[in-house]
């Protein structure tokens, strides 16, 4: 992009309470690359689905990818514009911005010593597209992020050129996302997914081991142990992003209660994602004492929560029923009663803080339903010849904090005046949701959406497709015609870009295949000796494990 870098000025901000939040680790001994010999243990409900970037499009997997794989570009703390990492330079090299060329740093290697060169980069991108085309990506659909990529060529060992089908101002952001992870072509199959648990790494950490267990009767990881990759060379680690530990363990829990118990018992140092119930967060905020016990850190959030309606299979092929859902949902009640003000009602598929987010769902359907809304909706559906109540099944993952209470409230809201009869279908976690969505037969569901990169396009393009990431089968001819125009606009904050994105947001609201509920705030709860967490809480949504340290209390 040619837009000026929007680099935030970072300090000890966004912090409710912590000790030595911007301090360094207390360990004086030096490990790899001078890092303190400190170990940090994190806990999360976001279980990874795959350790292969060609087969994962979920928060848990990308949480690891950002730390175990290197990319040509990465985001420095607080930045929303990517800068070179494995590359020494990258730039558009054609007038139409359809050719993007990167020159790699010399001497790069994978954790096993294999060369990380232009050929490895080309292979990494080629295999994502190939595996996606062969439908061997475990239904992740992650190759959609490379839908503007035509081909990749190399010149020598250090130069790689991406040839695009059309102008794509977001391509540098895509390179910095999880799908841009560089893998070793000697150890990752070209046409199928890597099935092991100790992949050769290119990033700051390498995976030492994965402990497996079972969840819902199926094999599931229980923990991942990582150590610093001594071969890593790049700009992800810098003067503003220093190494503060040598080892990280990620532990997985079936639900938010498990994470909270682990924090209370001292089994983990901090949670890693949106892992805790709102009631626990509010209680901890009210009880915390600076420097003693558990500490709550907060930052701006850009994760969204959306209802997904299947526009092909089931009752929501009828647009009138989708609009009825949009009118009956009371976001304020959900945010207040279920999440206790730890989330913010959302009225667009694009959250506030990303580009020029508008409020079309509020403009078209009111902010919240009134006392007469249900009666009005019911009368209109009856006039349209719809037989009431309309029955459908609503899927949701119980691993998401507050999901049971949220689902019960949505069932109650949609059941007003006998309009809908909702059969709740809870499943254990996101992996179960991915399996269900891949069938294309889920009538309605709910999911969180974490951006792949901090740009409005990433809240729009992935929601389109047949069946699409969430099995919605939603395609908008208007949006599909406007998206290419937005990708030509290098200045994402220009008046032209804002006007175009505003129209797309309105089109989404009119079609109501997706009903936005809320956007989050980031909350990370730590033990009192954990440092630097606030510096990892930015709109890029990347937790940089290496920045987390410990200090003496």
């Amino acid at each position: 992009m040619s837009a000026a870098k929007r680099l935030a000025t970072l300090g000890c901000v966004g912090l409710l309470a912590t000790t030595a939040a911007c301090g360094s680790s207390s360990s004086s001994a030096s490990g790899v690359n001078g890092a303190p010999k400190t170990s940090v243990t994190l806990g999360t409900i976001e279980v990874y689905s795959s350790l292969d970037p060609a087969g994962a499009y979920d928060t848990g997997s990308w949480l690891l990818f950002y730390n175990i794989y290197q990319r040509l570009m990465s985001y420095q703390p607080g930045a929303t514009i990517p800068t070179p990492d494995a590359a020494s330079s990258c730039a558009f090299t054609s007038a139409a911005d359809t050719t993007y060329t990167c020159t790699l740093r010399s001497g790069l290697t994978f954790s096993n010593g294999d060369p990380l060169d232009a050929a490895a980069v080309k292979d990494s991108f080629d295999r994502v597209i190939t595996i996606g085309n062969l439908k061997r990506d475990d239904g992740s659909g992650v190759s959609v992020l490379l839908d503007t990529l035509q081909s990749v060529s190399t010149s020598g060992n250090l130069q790689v050129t991406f040839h695009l089908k059309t102008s794509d101002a977001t391509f540098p952001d895509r390179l910095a996302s999880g799908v841009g992870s560089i893998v070793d072509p000697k150890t990752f199959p070209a046409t199928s997914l890597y099935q092991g648990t100790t992949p050769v790494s290119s990033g700051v950490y390498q995976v030492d081991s994965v402990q497996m267990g079972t969840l819902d009767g199926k094999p599931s990881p229980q923990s991942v142990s990582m150590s610093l990759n001594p071969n890593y060379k790049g700009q992800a680690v810098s003067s503003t992003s220093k190494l503060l530990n040598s080892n990280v363990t990620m532990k997985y829990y079936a639900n938010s209660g498990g994470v909270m118990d682990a924090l209370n018992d001292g089994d983990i140092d901090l949670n890693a994602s949106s892992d805790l119930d709102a009631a626990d967060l509010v209680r901890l905020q009210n009880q915390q004492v600076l420097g003693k016990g558990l500490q709550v850190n907060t930052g701006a959030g850009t994760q969204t929560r959306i209802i997904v309606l299947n526009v092909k299979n089931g009752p929501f092929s009828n647009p009138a029923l989708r609009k009825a859902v949009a009118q009956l949902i009371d976001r304020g009640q959900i945010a207040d009663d279920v999440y206790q003000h730890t989330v913010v009602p959302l009225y667009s598929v694009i959250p506030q803080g990303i580009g020029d987010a508008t409020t079309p769902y509020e403009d078209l359907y009111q902010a919240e339903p009134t006392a007469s809304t249900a009666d009005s909706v019911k009368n209109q559906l009856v006039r349209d010849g719809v037989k009431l109540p309309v029955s459908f099944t609503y899927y949701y993952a119980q691993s998401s904090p507050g999901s049971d209470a949220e689902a019960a409230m949505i069932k109650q809201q949609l059941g007003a005046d006998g309009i809908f009869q909702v059969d709740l279908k809870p499943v254990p976690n996101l992996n179960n949701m991915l399996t269900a969505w891949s069938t294309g037969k889920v009538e309605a569901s709910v999911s969180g959406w974490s951006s792949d990169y901090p740009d409005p396009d990433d809240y729009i393009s992935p929601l389109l497709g047949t069946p699409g990431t969430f099995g919605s089968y939603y395609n908008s001819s208007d949006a599909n015609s406007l998206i290419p125009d937005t990708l030509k606009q290098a200045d994402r904050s220009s008046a032209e870009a804002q006007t175009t994105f505003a129209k797309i947001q309105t089109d989404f609201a009119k079609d109501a295949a997706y009903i936005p509920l809320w956007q989050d705030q980031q909350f990370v709860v730590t033990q009192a000796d954990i440092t630097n967490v606030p510096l990892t809480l930015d709109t890029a949504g990347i937790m940089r494990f290496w920045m987390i340290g410990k200090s003496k209390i």
Side-chain angles (χ1 to χ4, degrees), residues 395-419:
Y395 282 69
Y396 68 96
Q398 286 184 303
S399 59
S400 179
S403 59
D404 286 323
E406 178 190 76
M409 184 165 289
I410 287 173
K411 177 177 180 177
Q412 179 185 14
Q413 291 176 357
L414 297 183
D417 273 12
I419 298 173

Side-chain angles (χ1 to χ4, degrees), residues 479-497:
N480 282 329
S481 66
L482 290 171
I483 286 174
D485 292 336
T486 69
L487 296 179
K488 296 177 183 178
Q489 296 161 1
D491 184 355
R492 313 300 278 169
S493 61
S494 69
E496 181 181 5

